[in-house]
Amino acid sequence: MATLGAPARAHAAPQALSDSAAWRTIASTLGVATFIGVWVAVTSLGLVPPTFLPSPTAVLARIVDLTHEPYSGSLLQAHLLASLRKFGLSYLLAVVIGVPLGLLMGRFRFVDWLVSPVFEGLRFIPPIAWVPFSILWFGTGFLAPTLVIFAGAFSPCVLNAYRGAKLIDRQLIEAAQTLGARGWTMLGQVMLPAALPHIVAGLRVSAGFGWQSLIGAELIVGSTGLGYMIVQGESNLAPAVVIAGMATIGVVGALIDYTMRALEDWIRRDWGR
Amino acid sequence: MAGSPRSPGRGAPRARVQRSAVAAGLVVALLAAWYLTTGPLELVNSLQFPSPDDAYEALRQLTSPGYAGATLARHIADSLALVGLGFVAATLTGIPLGILMGSSRLAEAYINPVFQLIRPIAPIAWIPLTILWFGLGTAAKVFVVWLAAFSPAAINAFTGVRNVDPVLIAAARVHGASARQVLSQVVIPASLPTIFTGLRVSLQACWMVLVAAELVGSFAGLGHIMIIATRDLNSGMIFVAMACVALLGVALSVALAWVERWAVPWRR
Amino acid sequence: MRSRASKTLVGVLLAALAGAGASAAARAADPSPFPVRVSQQPQRWALEWYIATQKGWWQQLGLQPTMVTFASGAPQVAAGASGSWDVGGAGDLPAVLGGSRYRLQTIAIADEEAAIITIMATKDKAEQYAKNPALIKGKTIPVTTNSTGQWGAAVCLEKKFGLKPGDYQFVNLSPPEINAAVSSGRYDISEVWAPNTYILDSTIGAKVICDGKEMGLPITSNLFATPAFAKKHPEIVAKFLAVYLRAVAWERAHPKETVEMLGAFFNSVGVNIPEKYLPVELHNRPAFTLQEQLKIFRGSASGKSLAADWSNQVAQFMTSVGVINKVPDAKGYVTDKYLLMIEHDPKLKAFAENASD
């Protein structure tokens, strides 16, 4: 996926005043202000009842409340932590299995032939569609959301590692072979570094998918986490809690993306030479 | 994200034969393992994974008399219609917005921060508000699909437009093209490949959110089957629905690749 | 159990003989409690276990429970099949589903709850619909399909309001989503069950216009044990049941404290309903003592008990909507074995009927 922002600005043609940084900052501020302004206006003018959309201040107040008054059994930070723990474990699992698999598929035609038919079919199944089987297999225990998150995070890991491995210069591999690199040495010390920029791009996409899948799993089953908090808010007709949960999901999702992007840029810079 | 692992050197016919042989062998092995573990060896409880018999039985029941309120054909038709509507809505809104942001830096600065604020929220997390705002009708479900598909469409249109060679635009201007002509005859054609990449990602995103959207009070649909079958602990039914989702997903992806070759012939 | 006791005895003797440290002796004298995994939902009938935990009754029978909480019955019953828990409770429909799919053993009734399976209408429409049911024709009614909620709603619409299935349209939603749909104002009639009935009553003034009790439906929640665990540890299942029954006996003797306990329990599992509904909930969902249970389960061996009849009725509904293909034989999964074990063990019986703290 392409990105909005810095790289695209690189070849900005020096144009009129409207393109200057100052104007852009003003426009950005105006954009956010419009968003919040419209939100405030429709709620405070009574255009929509608070049961449909609570005002931004109500949501903020709710977020503050949630951090020191337990909601459906836990504080907001505890729900967040529960979600992050499930996410962390499953994501790690997807990376640890997915990346080597992708590299192997890129390196050995036989592995590629063996795995591709299954992988190609499975990757079109939405992560949420794994919820029924995850329930049948793992109940609502810790492993149930793991399968769903894994399903979301796995395929970008594999695909990007595969593509990275495919693009490695054959001469590099042959040179390594003549120097005696085999098996794990080849995989870990030659292919992994060479394909790293691609892999890291995959890791970022994969983290995003994993996070979104987690929320889906928690919305449908589960008794902890942000998704669960949202369902409870829905059940108790407390839209402020729902939006507070959504905002937390959004902020954390953005933070994950930002971190991965920083990692990606850093690796690109170091490897790009 | 798009594209499939495929050995680029598909030239050698012998390799192709070998490849098919491996694939066929794998499929046979998987089917055998499936039959053995769920059947004679009784390693897997049919509640946890259906035997081929269970799956066939479920498929038969789905075709006639139907399950979860409709027959398989109707479930598939409803799911496809939903994805189609969401995809069209996302395309019609996302691409113009992307082009607008791509061609005007001021518009980008105005819209982008809010876009970035909302984008990381998982589409499925919108479901409670969706029900409040749109009820349970088609609009609600299309909204959820739209949420998922909108941003890839917009982002790729934006990138496509922004990455058009400035020399090309300058050349067109020199030859007296109006701003409108520049947009319709230079910028959009040049960014079409990127826009198409966005559409493919976008369609895949639609498909990925299908089950989630059908949580919003649906009468039929593949996701609807899964929701009901989970409540009924009917693993055969879940399996059939998942298989349909996977097969249709592959078919959609192939179809879009075909459309792309037709619409952007200069790409490959 | 015997081997456990003798092991303890040997342990005590050995410790005494060796003259080991006081702490070691104390540890050995305290028989290590039997771990049992109890699956529950944030529902009124899980209150008994909460009370037992507060009062320390589990330990008195040498049990060490771990509560496993589920939001609904289907995942819970599925988890039972994969061995995630040993005993528990859920609505009768999931219990029968478990009985049909893997012979999940129904060992007692958790509570009667036909009164909380309702059709609610919004404040402005409740009276109109009750007076003139023809107004319901053509409506889209949110229900949780393939649940006792749908059963109650369908029977209400047919018997009380004289409507045929073609006169209205059910749309499937989970209970939290039903709340959202009704509060959106787009759907003025809906199937709802507790505690959502109270939430909709207190927040938007929606009113119950029909319930399962009025229709005489045998809707209950049941207690059950997985077949594997029941076979291996029948005495633990009986003890688990005795703890439950003791809490029921206690509730009868302490109505005021029971209300407070329910409030505390709901708080602990994240159910937020105004206090005034707590007594209503207890009134609508009575639980049964040992003797009452024995009556309900009398004749289980031949499949002729009241409990078997109730389960059969649920199973018939399930067959009619395609959840299961045929009504399972109640003899295979509705049993009074554990109730009788308590009845025939004077010590356990006294425990189960002890209404004091």
Side-chain angles (χ1 to χ4, degrees), chain A residues 128 212-222 224 226-232 234 249, chain B residues 122-128 212 215, chain C residues 174 176-177:
Chain A
I128 303 298
Q212 302 213 341
S213 312
L214 163 79
I215 302 304
E218 286 180 343
L219 272 173
I220 303 174
V221 283
T224 54
L226 294 169
Y228 177 70
M229 192 184 91
I230 288 181
V231 174
Q232 292 300 310
E234 180 184 25
I249 290 168
Chain B
I124 191 173
W126 286 86
I127 285 180
L215 284 173
Chain C
S174 70
E177 290 167 348

Side-chain angles (χ1 to χ4, degrees), chain A residues 8 17 19 30 57 120 133 139 154 170 172 189 215 226 229 238 246 248:
Chain A
L17 182 68
D19 258 4
L30 269 177
T57 43
E120 282 299 292
F133 272 128
F154 187 61
R170 283 212 73 80
L172 176 68
Q189 293 183 8
I215 302 304
L226 294 169
M229 192 184 91
M246 288 169 66
T248 315

Side-chain angles (χ1 to χ4, degrees), chain B residues 45 47-48 57 61 67 127-128 131-137 215-219 224 227-228 230-234, chain C residues 74 77-78 81-82 97 101-102 140 142 144-146 169-174 177 180-181 183-184 186-187 322-323 325:
Chain B
N45 181 337
L47 193 64
Q48 279 165 342
E57 185 51 42
Q61 190 191 339
Y67 178 77
I127 285 180
I131 294 177
L132 276 179
W133 295 347
F134 299 101
L136 306 171
L215 284 173
V216 187
S218 50
F219 298 107
H224 178 72
I227 294 157
I228 303 294
T230 309
R231 205 171 283 156
D232 296 352
L233 302 183
N234 190 334
Chain C
V77 168
S82 56
L97 187 57
R101 294 270 197 261
Y102 66 104
T140 298
T144 304
T145 46
N146 295 10
Q169 193 171 26
F170 279 153
V171 60
N172 173 47
L173 282 184
S174 70
E177 290 167 348
S183 77
S184 78
R186 285 192 178 76
Y187 304 89
V323 179
N325 293 330

Side-chain angles (χ1 to χ4, degrees), chain A residues 51-52 71-73 135-141 220-223 228 231-232 234-237, chain C residues 69-70 75 78-79 82 84 176-177 179-180 183-184 186 196 199-200 203-204 268-270 272:
Chain A
T51 47
F52 268 47
Y71 194 81
S72 45
I135 290 172
L136 294 184
W137 294 343
F138 308 113
T140 50
I220 303 174
V221 283
S223 45
Y228 177 70
V231 174
Q232 292 300 310
E234 180 184 25
S235 182
N236 293 323
L237 303 186
Chain C
T69 306
F70 291 85
S82 56
S84 307
E177 290 167 348
N179 283 0
S183 77
S184 78
R186 285 192 178 76
N196 295 323
I199 293 174
L200 288 178
T203 50
I204 61 167
S268 77
V269 290
N272 304 324

Side-chain angles (χ1 to χ4, degrees), chain B residues 66-238:
Chain B
Y67 178 77
T71 58
L72 185 59
R74 161 102 198 276
H75 286 300
I76 290 179
D78 271 34
S79 285
L80 286 178
L82 176 57
V83 165
L85 280 174
F87 181 62
V88 168
T91 308
L92 292 183
T93 49
I95 292 181
L97 186 83
I99 292 177
L100 174 69
M101 281 163 66
S103 32
S104 156
R105 281 170 202 281
L106 218 51
E108 182 210 340
Y110 186 70
I111 299 166
N112 195 25
V114 175
F115 184 64
Q116 294 299 340
L117 273 176
I118 295 178
R119 200 167 65 95
I121 302 173
I124 191 173
W126 286 86
I127 285 180
L129 290 186
T130 306
I131 294 177
L132 276 179
W133 295 347
F134 299 101
L136 306 171
T138 312
K141 290 184 264 293
V142 170
F143 176 67
V144 176
V145 176
W146 175 85
L147 278 170
F150 175 76
S151 57
I155 290 175
N156 280 280
F158 166 83
T159 317
V161 169
R162 201 41 78 75
N163 287 345
V164 171
D165 192 344
V167 178
L168 222 58
I169 299 174
R173 286 229 177 91
V174 168
H175 287 97
S178 68
R180 213 175 149 160
Q181 281 170 325
V182 170
L183 188 69
S184 67
Q185 290 175 20
V186 179
V187 174
I188 292 181
S191 48
L192 216 48
T194 322
I195 292 179
F196 252 102
T197 306
L199 288 187
R200 204 164 52 196
V201 178
S202 177
L203 183 66
Q204 202 174 2
C206 284
W207 198 246
M208 289 296 164
V209 84
L210 174 70
V211 180
E214 286 175 349
L215 284 173
V216 187
S218 50
F219 298 107
L222 295 169
H224 178 72
I225 298 181
M226 288 186 203
I227 294 157
I228 303 294
T230 309
R231 205 171 283 156
D232 296 352
L233 302 183
N234 190 334
S235 64
M237 217 47 99
I238 297 171

